[in-house]
Amino acid sequence: MPAQAHNPPGLSMPAGYSHITIVPAGRQVHVSGQVALDAAREIVGRGDLAAQAEQVYDNIEAALAGAGARLTDVFKVVTYVVDLTPEKAAVVRAVRNRRLGAGPYPAATMVGVTGLVDPAFLIEVEVIATLD
């Protein structure tokens, strides 16, 4: 049985994520934080948050495929953005929501950070998906 997204009464209606995701017993895949590196370990989109977000989601798709999962199997997303602002959050949400499809969306958290492992990285995303 796939994960089920819920937005219970009494909480604001979210845009692009769900407040609760219920996952029945089963196997999960935890994908480490992905950054804007291509397969050749080259940084994609230096200085361009949208381009980096696209590469990050390309990497997440590849990682999930390696485990037999797809983006539609993701039930939790954690996004780290350097020097997060409302404008940067909108850029990230646009890429994330387009890549995740029409929903229902997974539970999600976005965190502003002062930096990532390499100063050229603007975003890092980790996900958890269900395999059953």
Side-chain angles (χ1 to χ4, degrees):
M1 174 181 267
Q4 301 167 345
H6 292 281
N7 294 300
L11 295 174
S12 64
M13 183 52 71
Y17 69 96
S18 296
H19 284 293
I20 299 169
T21 305
I22 299 170
V23 180
R27 297 179 314 135
Q28 298 177 4
V29 57
H30 294 244
V31 178
S32 294
Q34 295 298 303
V35 293
L37 287 177
D38 64 15
R41 296 198 48 81
E42 297 293 326
I43 295 174
V44 174
R46 284 184 185 272
D48 183 338
L49 180 59
Q52 287 201 10
E54 291 288 352
Q55 181 63 49
V56 164
Y57 275 91
D58 286 347
N59 294 348
I60 290 169
E61 277 193 292
L64 289 170
R70 298 168 291 147
L71 280 173
T72 55
D73 298 320
V74 171
F75 65 86
K76 176 65 176 167
V77 178
V78 180
T79 304
Y80 305 93
V81 181
V82 175
D83 299 326
L84 182 61
T85 64
E87 296 76 21
K88 289 180 179 181
V91 168
V92 171
R93 283 188 192 112
V95 172
R96 179 188 69 196
N97 292 350
R98 184 175 47 73
R99 298 297 291 264
L100 292 176
Y105 294 109
T109 301
M110 190 179 302
V111 180
V113 296
T114 57
L116 296 167
V117 69
D118 184 307
F121 295 141
L122 304 175
I123 183 172
E124 184 167 343
V125 179
E126 61 186 59
V127 301
I128 306 172
T130 183
L131 294 172
D132 296 323

